[in-house]
């Protein structure tokens, strides 16, 4: 499905939930409309309260199997998918690339076909190759969730970021969101640009010219063209921002190419978020980071641990949002959570 449409501030909070979620897979934020995103966030709200209960267990996925297939390292995404599946009563199986038979020469497609033969309901895939999740989704009878494919997309990260923003700002439409750092290598930036624009936020992507791909404003078609802009000065990104999302420099994706900025200290001084630069944003701006943080590079420890930082709350939303996605993709009703 393509052609996501933006909503206005007036319509965002008055969406009527559809009787069923119309998607089999979650591969890209491009596939989600504003109503789809709102549905996921509303269902995540219902699951959020479960995390605060002494017994965090439901039975809605009892008898179902969720396979987490991770070919790249992960702390937050893999753990939260596993916790989400287990809290809903599913059997969760974790496979890492290094422990799979791909190390013996088996292809990704053969691997997932073999896993599909064990009849899981959901396969969660993280892979260094952009397009991996989409490729395997076309071959499986299970639902496929993209848990990060190269520098392409990370839709559940964008959804948990949207949930965090909505919880603290009461809305997404009309907010000014600055996304700062290594945009060129960031699947988080891409998914957030599309998702936040679809929800009607104004997104400013900020990086030096060498860390921002030409034409990124077009990534989601008309909706990002309308709502996403590129700036190269930190003060232009932060001026009037309601939300600041900082990104790590992903040295693991440079493939040994020449450095894209002179040195880390200079990058940090020019694009890092410190108490001094945070003051350029609105006084009630919230600070997000998908993790892992490189403290002292893109963000000072004082900001990371400061009162405006919601970085650990993002992690908590990761569980609730992934529960919502599992619930909806396995046929759960948007209005009945059990
Ligand atoms: N945000 C995120 O994807 O973190 P992990 O790499 O630890 O899963």
């Amino acid at each position: 499905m393509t052609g996501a449409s933006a909503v206005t501030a007036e319509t965002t909070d008055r969406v009527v939930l559809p009787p069923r979620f119309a998607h089999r897979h979650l591969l890209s934020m491009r596939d989600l409309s504003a109503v789809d995103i709102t549905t996921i966030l509303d269902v995540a709200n219902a699951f959020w309260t479960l995390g605060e209960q002494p017994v965090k267990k439901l039975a809605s996925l009892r008898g179902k199997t969720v396979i987490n297939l991770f070919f790249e390292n992960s702390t937050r995404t893999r753990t939260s998918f596993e916790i989400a599946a287990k809290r809903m009563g599913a059997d969760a199986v974790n496979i890492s690339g290094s422990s799979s038979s791909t190390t013996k020469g088996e292809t990704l497609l053969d691997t997932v076909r073999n896993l599909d033969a064990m009849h899981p309901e959901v396969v969660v895939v993280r892979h260094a190759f952009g397009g991996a999740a989409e490729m395997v989704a076309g071959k499986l009878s299970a639902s496929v969730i993209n848990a990060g494919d190269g520098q392409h997309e990370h839709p559940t990260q964008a959804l948990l970021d949207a949930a965090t923003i909505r919880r603290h700002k009461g809305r997404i439409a009309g907010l000014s969101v600055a996304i700062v750092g290594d945009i060129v290598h960031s699947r988080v930036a891409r998914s957030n640009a599309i998702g936040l624009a679809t929800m009607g936020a104004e997104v400013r992507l900020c990086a030096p010219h060498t860390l921002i791909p030409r034409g990124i404003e077009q990534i989601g078609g008309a909706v990002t063209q309308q709502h996403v802009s590129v700036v190269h000065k930190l003060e232009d990104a932060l001026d009037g921002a309601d939300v600041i999302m900082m990104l790590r420099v992903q040295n693991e994706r440079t493939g040994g190419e020449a450095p894209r900025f002179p040195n880390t200290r200079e990058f940090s001084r020019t694009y890092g978020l410190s108490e001094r630069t945070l003051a350029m944003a609105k006084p009630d701006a919230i600070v997000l980071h998908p993790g892992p943080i490189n403290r002292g590079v893109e963000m000072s420890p004082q900001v990371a641990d400061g009162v405006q930082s919601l970085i650990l709350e993002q992690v908590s939303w990761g569980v609730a949002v992934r529960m919502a996605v599992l619930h909806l993709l396995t046929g759960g009703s948007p209005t009945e959570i059990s």
Side-chain angles (χ1 to χ4, degrees):
M1 198 188 92
T2 53
S5 59
V7 291
T8 65
E10 289 72 41
T11 60
T12 303
D13 294 326
R14 280 191 268 124
V15 169
V16 176
L17 295 184
R20 290 281 158 204
F21 193 63
H23 302 276
R24 193 170 140 223
H25 307 293
L26 176 56
L27 304 174
S28 164
M29 291 304 288
R30 259 186 261 237
D31 298 333
L32 300 181
S33 67
V35 172
D36 291 329
I37 295 170
T38 304
T39 301
I40 294 168
L41 301 190
D42 285 354
V43 173
N45 269 346
F47 285 126
W48 173 266
T49 52
L50 186 72
E52 297 166 339
Q53 305 301 317
V55 179
K56 304 173 180 62
K57 205 78 178 171
L58 300 173
S60 51
L61 290 191
R62 192 163 56 196
K64 300 193 191 302
T65 303
V66 176
I67 297 180
N68 293 319
L69 180 59
F70 276 60
F71 290 93
E72 278 190 334
N73 293 340
S74 170
T75 296
R76 285 147 286 266
T77 312
R78 193 171 88 163
T79 311
S80 58
F81 265 116
E82 182 179 354
I83 289 174
K86 287 180 171 169
R87 282 191 184 164
M88 300 169 81
D91 295 311
V93 180
N94 294 321
I95 306 171
S96 67
S98 59
S99 66
S100 77
S101 287
T102 54
T103 58
K104 303 174 199 165
E106 188 171 53
T107 65
L108 173 61
L109 276 183
D110 279 334
T111 300
V112 294
R113 280 196 187 111
N114 278 268
L115 295 175
D116 204 40
M118 299 178 213
H119 306 299
E121 275 69 26
V122 181
V123 177
V124 181
V125 182
R126 171 170 286 194
H127 201 283
F129 163 52
E134 187 174 353
M135 184 180 81
V136 304
K139 307 289 179 188
L140 303 192
S141 40
S143 289
V144 174
I145 301 174
N146 180 4
D149 60 331
Q151 54 196 53
H152 177 228
E153 279 222 44
H154 193 350
T156 57
Q157 179 68 45
L159 290 164
L160 75 87
D161 292 338
T164 310
I165 293 168
R166 197 176 74 156
R167 161 93 165 199
H168 283 267
K169 295 293 176 188
R171 65 192 168 97
I172 296 172
L175 294 178
S176 176
V177 182
I179 304 180
V180 183
D182 182 359
I183 307 289
V184 73
H185 297 116
S186 177
R187 54 198 179 202
V188 174
R190 286 173 177 77
S191 284
N192 265 296
I194 298 166
L196 292 169
T198 300
M199 294 301 288
E202 300 305 319
V203 181
R204 292 177 217 157
L205 301 175
C206 178
H209 285 87
T210 50
L211 284 178
I212 205 152
R214 197 184 292 271
I216 186 129
E217 305 94 320
Q218 333 286 334
I219 188 172
V223 74
T224 51
Q225 202 159 358
Q226 189 183 343
H227 290 280
V228 177
S229 59
V230 169
V231 295
H232 299 292
K233 287 188 176 161
L234 185 61
E235 53 266 43
D236 292 340
L238 298 187
D239 182 30
D242 300 287
V243 180
I244 306 165
M245 187 180 298
M246 299 303 295
L247 301 174
R248 179 177 65 90
V249 176
Q250 298 190 40
N251 292 315
E252 74 274 21
R253 297 204 194 280
T254 57
E257 64 193 28
R260 291 176 184 242
F261 48 86
N263 61 56
T264 302
R265 187 183 297 184
E266 183 171 320
F267 176 82
S268 180
R269 205 179 294 138
T270 314
Y271 288 98
L273 194 64
S274 61
E275 287 172 309
R276 180 185 65 80
T277 53
L278 177 56
M280 297 171 181
K282 284 187 180 167
D284 63 349
I286 58 174
V287 174
L288 308 182
H289 193 303
I293 304 172
N294 284 164
R295 286 171 181 259
V297 180
E298 70 272 14
M299 186 183 286
S300 72
Q302 292 78 9
V303 172
D305 302 326
V307 292
Q308 288 166 265
S309 168
L310 298 176
I311 294 169
L312 293 179
E313 186 174 321
Q314 287 173 267
V315 178
S316 301
W317 275 110
V319 176
V321 162
R322 288 167 179 132
M323 289 176 80
V325 170
L326 290 171
H327 173 82
L328 293 168
L329 289 183
T330 54
S333 159
T335 52
E336 287 168 32
I337 314 294
S338 58

